[in-house]
Amino acid sequence: MAIEQQQEAIAKTVLQGISRRDREILTRFYLLEETQEQICEGMNLSETQFRLLKSRAKARFGDLGRRKLARRGLLRFA
Amino acid sequence: MIDHADEGQLERYSLGAQGETDSARVEEHLLICESCRERLQETDVYTAAMRGAAQSLRSEAQDRARQPARPWLPLWSDALAVGLALLAVMLTWGPSVIHKSARELVPVVVLLETTRDSRTQTAPASRPLLLTADLTQLASYPAYRLEVVDAAGRRVVGSPPSPGSGKLSLPIAGGLARGAYYVRLYALSGELLREFGLRVT
């Protein structure tokens, strides 16, 4: 599987693991390219909540990616 | 001191969501900062993955929405349909199976007539039997008993002594195996009153 597909699969896992509302927020940002202000106003959340959601999703993405690499023995810890 | 691009700036730059002025500032910094270029590369990977995943999930949801609506039956209708089909099968074929089983449980009555010219009776093998001796032609005794012996004279089964009001029965629930038997009618004293041939086929 190409690297891009792998990354997308990981991202899909991240999106499927969150609530429908959070998934909608991230979809609006990454796919529909709405601005932070538009999303916060439209979905009634604060800037802090928005940033926290993005941060958690990105952290989860990184975590899953590292686990995948570790399973394949490709990750070497110094 | 260099002002590195923060995560939000890199993300907006990656998504192309920055204005011209802000983009220019970020690009100027990227020219001189390898660290931020690496971070931008990671951000590009992440935003592309999220975009692709969101698109994929959205397409799947739209495909599901486009599928024909389920009939008015609820989601457990599949289990219901299987249940109904099984019921239909049982109603169609069940009675014949049940009938057959019930038939096999009903004992076969073998009437043992006590006239002198009684012929050998026949009975089906492995079916419950009810051997019934007619006592009306015999002299009256206080009690009687029936006994079944095989062709070699070995006792197979017998009834307890019974007054026998006109008839004396010996149920054999498990039936008899194929072969030749003799059904003997005894008085309580042990006197052999009659012997009947029984062929089990």
Side-chain angles (χ1 to χ4, degrees):
Chain A
M1 188 190 277
I3 293 177
E4 293 81 11
Q5 286 175 311
Q6 289 177 10
Q7 303 288 358
E8 190 175 304
I10 294 172
K12 203 170 176 179
T13 303
V14 171
L15 289 175
Q16 287 171 324
I18 58 178
S19 70
R20 199 172 185 174
R21 175 182 158 84
D22 288 350
R23 189 159 55 245
E24 177 67 23
I25 292 167
L26 295 178
T27 299
R28 287 190 181 198
F29 185 72
Y30 291 106
L31 179 63
L32 304 181
E33 295 180 356
E34 290 183 16
T35 64
Q36 175 180 307
E37 292 73 23
Q38 287 173 318
I39 295 170
C40 289
E41 188 180 338
M43 298 203 65
N44 193 30
L45 72 162
S46 67
E47 188 181 313
T48 306
Q49 289 170 323
F50 178 76
R51 284 185 178 179
L52 194 58
L53 173 61
K54 278 201 308 166
S55 173
R56 283 205 303 262
K58 192 168 185 182
R60 179 77 178 136
F61 178 84
D63 188 44
L64 287 174
R66 277 190 294 277
R67 280 195 216 173
K68 203 176 185 77
L69 288 173
R71 273 200 297 270
R72 294 184 181 180
L74 297 177
L75 191 63
R76 298 284 180 263
F77 291 96
Chain B
M1 187 172 163
I2 300 173
D3 285 334
H4 295 285
D6 64 30
E7 197 150 322
Q9 283 176 314
L10 289 177
E11 197 169 54
R12 283 193 297 276
Y13 180 80
S14 174
L15 291 170
Q18 271 186 327
E20 259 189 55
T21 311
D22 291 332
S23 292
R25 198 176 299 129
V26 170
E27 283 167 358
E28 273 180 30
H29 177 74
L30 288 173
L31 284 172
I32 59 170
C33 182
E34 188 179 348
S35 165
C36 284
R37 284 200 295 273
E38 287 175 0
R39 287 170 55 217
L40 176 62
Q41 199 170 6
E42 290 172 6
T43 303
D44 283 343
V45 167
Y46 176 67
T47 55
M50 290 297 277
R51 190 182 299 123
Q55 177 65 62
S56 175
L57 289 173
R58 199 161 244 256
S59 298
E60 287 170 14
Q62 286 167 351
D63 287 344
R64 278 195 300 273
R66 273 197 291 270
Q67 281 175 3
R70 285 180 69 87
W72 58 272
L73 292 172
L75 288 174
W76 44 262
S77 62
D78 292 336
L80 179 64
V82 170
L84 288 172
L86 282 172
L87 184 61
V89 167
M90 284 172 59
L91 289 173
T92 304
W93 284 287
S96 61
V97 173
I98 293 169
H99 177 65
K100 184 183 172 193
S101 300
R103 199 170 62 226
E104 286 174 347
L105 291 175
V106 173
V108 174
V109 177
V110 181
L111 188 60
L112 306 168
E113 292 178 322
T114 54
T115 55
R116 288 201 175 274
D117 59 351
S118 295
R119 298 174 191 172
T120 297
Q121 298 293 330
T122 58
S126 305
R127 287 279 303 276
L129 301 175
L130 184 65
L131 307 182
T132 301
D134 179 11
L135 307 176
T136 54
Q137 302 295 321
L138 289 177
S140 179
Y141 286 88
Y144 306 86
R145 63 182 181 88
L146 280 171
E147 188 174 87
V148 178
V149 300
D150 62 14
R154 287 185 293 260
R155 184 178 184 279
V156 176
V157 65
S159 72
S162 172
S165 51
K167 278 187 173 37
L168 178 63
S169 293
L170 171 57
I172 306 176
L176 295 169
R178 285 197 182 88
Y181 299 86
Y182 297 98
V183 184
R184 293 173 178 166
L185 177 65
Y186 291 94
L188 190 59
S189 62
E191 180 187 350
L192 178 62
L193 303 174
R194 282 287 187 275
E195 186 177 86
F196 311 94
L198 177 63
R199 176 157 291 282
V200 178
T201 59

